[in-house]
């Protein structure tokens, strides 16, 4: 009788073990497997957030909240403004928010380091006439050279600041595809000048649709991509469907990564909590709230990208330093703050 009970017990253990084994292979449940998730997360050096600059000061509570959600890196963004009418670049203006200017960058970096967080300095441009930076263009060489001189001054000033303040990562441009394509010599000499000033890690933020056309990845530490890849035109796509859509984009990244032998950093990535969140993630036209779509899109990104040992993580778009975003009537935005997507991010960053 005892022998029979022992055999039954062993069979029961085998059945339960087998069920657990096959359950662990189910991609829909992968987020519920902390051991597997932790192993994959070893590849994500940067578990980051792009910080929306504080208007007046950076509060300790902001950094504490980021740390509580397992964020280990933040991106600070010193904005500059391009006037295409006179081909100029202006920054550190009196009307800018504190966190966008030199004073705020220095103070925010110091605070982040006190919280043992890695910092990326990532200059961004606003272009007048509601112009996308990737389409920036000028009719004459004289105009190009005027803009390039202004931009170089802007970038080298913040490269010097990044060196002085021991900022670990410097991203010297964001989504400037047309300029990179038309004026490659300018970018080569700019990178050379930056390296004379700055000794930390260097990257550039290419848009998702032109990262394979950037010629200077071999001169940088990371291939930087703003990862707003289109994945599904469904209103509420499943994680499985999104995973299938990632494959063609990952294949393309594989080719570029192998060509330059550099790891890939998502300088930006994110989704709004709306219907069709993964259709064109760079747009803000969908206005029907859908928290699950946002969470599923994040889940799929992490499931898909962390399969690659060349993926070092990145910086989600975005995290508000101030509370003014809470006043939004429909609360549809890229930020995962106070949304189910934050739990997804926290689980993968943990």
């Amino acid at each position: 009788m005892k022998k029979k009970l022992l055999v039954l017990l062993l069979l029961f253990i085998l059945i339960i073990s087998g069920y657990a084994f096959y359950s662990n292979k189910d991609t829909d449940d992968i987020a519920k497997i902390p051991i597997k998730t932790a192993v994959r997360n070893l590849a994500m050096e940067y578990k980051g957030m792009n910080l929306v600059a504080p208007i007046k000061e950076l509060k300790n509570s902001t950094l504490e909240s980021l740390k509580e959600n397992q964020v280990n890196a933040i991106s600070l963004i010193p904005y500059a403004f391009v006037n295409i009418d006179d081909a100029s670049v202006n920054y550190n203006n009196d009307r800018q928010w504190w966190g966008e200017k030199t004073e705020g960058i220095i103070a925010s970096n110091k605070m982040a380091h006190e919280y043992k967080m890695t910092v990326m300095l990532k200059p961004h441009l606003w272009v007048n006439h509601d112009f996308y930076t990737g389409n920036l263009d000028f009719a004459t060489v004289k105009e190009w050279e005027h803009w390039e001189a202004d931009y170089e001054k802007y970038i080298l000033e913040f490269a010097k600041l990044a060196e002085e303040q021991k900022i670990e990562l410097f991203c010297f441009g964001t989504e400037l595809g047309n300029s990179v394509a038309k004026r490659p010599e300018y970018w080569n000499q700019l990178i050379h000048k930056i390296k004379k000033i700055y000794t930390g890690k260097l990257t550039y933020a290419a848009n998702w649709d032109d990262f394979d056309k950037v010629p200077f990845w071999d001169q940088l530490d990371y291939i930087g991509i703003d990862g707003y890849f289109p994945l599904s035109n469904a209103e509420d796509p499943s994680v499985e469907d999104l995973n299938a859509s990632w494959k063609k984009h990952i294949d393309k990244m594989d080719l570029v990564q192998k060509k330059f032998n550099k790891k890939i950093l998502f300088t930006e990535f994110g989704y709004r909590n709306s219907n069709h969140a993964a259709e064109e993630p760079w747009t803000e036209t969908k206005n029907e709230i859908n928290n699950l779509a946002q969470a599923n899109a994040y889940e799929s990104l992490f499931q898909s990208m962390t399969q690659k040992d060349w993926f070092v993580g990145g910086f989600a778009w975005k995290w508000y330093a101030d509370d003014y975003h809470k006043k939004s009537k429909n609360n549809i935005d890229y930020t995962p703050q106070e949304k189910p997507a934050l739990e997804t991010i926290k689980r993968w960053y943990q």
Side-chain angles (χ1 to χ4, degrees):
M1 184 68 178
K2 287 183 179 179
K3 188 174 181 180
K4 187 176 180 180
L5 286 172
L6 182 60
V7 170
L8 289 171
L9 180 61
L10 287 170
L11 283 171
F12 177 75
I13 291 171
L14 285 170
I15 290 168
I16 293 299
S17 299
Y19 173 76
F21 176 79
Y22 287 109
S23 293
N24 289 356
K25 290 183 177 293
D26 185 350
T27 55
D28 281 344
D29 292 333
I30 199 167
K32 301 175 183 177
I33 308 167
I35 294 176
K36 237 178 179 181
T37 301
V39 170
R40 287 172 181 165
N41 279 353
L42 292 177
M44 284 205 291
E45 179 180 351
Y46 301 96
K47 302 172 185 178
M49 284 282 176
N50 281 280
L51 188 68
V52 178
I55 297 173
K56 292 183 178 179
E57 64 176 349
L58 180 60
K59 301 180 181 68
N60 287 321
S61 58
T62 298
L63 293 169
E64 287 164 5
S65 182
L66 287 164
K67 292 291 285 188
E68 287 169 4
N69 286 286
Q70 308 301 319
V71 173
N72 72 356
I74 59 169
S75 171
L76 301 177
I77 303 172
Y79 274 100
F81 301 88
V82 175
N83 186 334
I84 57 175
D85 299 319
D86 62 9
S88 63
V89 180
N90 299 287
Y91 56 99
N92 277 335
N93 299 321
D94 290 340
R95 295 178 65 183
Q96 282 185 258
W97 289 351
W98 174 85
E100 296 176 352
K101 297 186 288 186
T102 297
E103 176 190 1
I105 294 293
I106 291 172
S108 298
N109 174 66
K110 182 180 178 182
M111 289 180 67
H113 283 166
E114 288 172 353
Y115 279 85
K116 309 299 182 186
M117 300 178 82
T118 299
V119 174
M120 175 172 72
L121 191 60
K122 186 174 185 285
H124 273 223
L125 297 177
W126 284 105
V127 185
N128 66 334
H129 305 312
D130 196 25
F131 210 82
Y132 169 52
T133 56
N135 296 330
L136 186 70
D137 203 0
F138 298 102
T140 67
V141 171
K142 184 178 180 180
E143 287 176 306
W144 269 115
E145 289 176 346
H146 187 279
W147 179 83
E148 288 168 349
D150 270 14
Y151 188 79
E152 182 174 298
K153 179 177 179 292
Y154 165 55
I155 291 301
L156 294 183
E157 182 172 322
F158 280 103
K160 183 180 178 183
L161 182 148
E163 179 68 15
E164 292 171 349
Q165 301 301 318
K166 296 181 171 56
I167 293 176
E168 294 87 347
L169 181 59
F170 185 58
C171 178
F172 60 84
T174 299
E175 298 177 12
L176 289 163
N178 189 56
S179 174
V180 169
K182 283 192 170 183
R183 310 281 292 178
E185 298 85 1
Y186 168 76
W187 292 97
N188 286 329
Q189 65 84 34
L190 180 59
I191 291 167
H192 182 70
K193 288 179 180 177
I194 293 169
K195 287 184 171 182
K196 285 187 174 181
I197 295 171
Y198 177 70
T199 58
K201 293 185 182 297
L202 198 61
T203 191
Y204 162 77
N207 199 36
W208 66 271
D209 61 352
D210 65 12
F211 71 91
D212 58 327
K213 299 177 180 68
V214 175
F216 47 70
W217 291 131
D218 59 328
Q219 301 178 58
L220 311 183
D221 293 284
Y222 297 119
I223 295 168
I225 303 175
D226 283 358
Y228 300 108
F229 295 94
L231 300 171
S232 172
N233 58 11
E235 183 176 290
D236 197 7
S238 69
V239 173
E240 285 180 328
D241 290 341
L242 292 169
N243 286 353
S245 296
W246 266 108
K247 290 177 182 177
K248 62 180 180 293
H249 301 302
I250 289 175
D251 288 345
K252 188 175 179 180
M253 284 184 268
D254 254 327
L255 292 174
V256 176
Q257 191 277 325
K258 287 173 182 175
K259 178 180 178 180
F260 292 99
N261 193 29
K262 302 286 183 177
K263 293 193 173 185
I264 291 178
L265 171 75
F266 275 7
T267 38
E268 292 178 27
F269 63 95
Y271 307 91
R272 296 170 79 240
N273 59 321
S274 68
N275 286 343
H276 304 279
E279 182 175 8
E280 293 180 340
W282 63 93
T283 64
E284 300 183 38
T285 57
K286 308 300 182 183
N287 293 305
E288 294 181 17
I289 194 165
N290 189 331
N291 288 324
L292 179 61
Q294 182 187 39
N296 280 354
Y298 271 110
E299 178 66 28
S300 175
L301 183 148
F302 290 125
Q303 284 191 23
S304 301
M305 292 302 298
T306 56
Q307 299 292 330
K308 294 296 181 178
D309 58 8
W310 42 252
F311 180 63
V312 294
F315 297 80
W317 189 268
K318 57 191 173 176
W319 190 277
Y320 288 98
D322 300 316
D323 291 336
Y324 64 85
H325 71 286
K326 294 179 181 179
K327 298 176 182 178
S328 173
K329 291 181 180 179
N330 59 12
N331 200 31
I332 295 177
D333 194 0
Y334 284 99
T335 183
Q337 287 165 277
E338 301 180 2
K339 298 171 186 172
L342 184 56
E343 286 303 312
T344 301
I345 295 169
K346 181 179 180 179
R347 182 165 16 89
W348 281 94
Y349 277 8
Q350 192 164 319

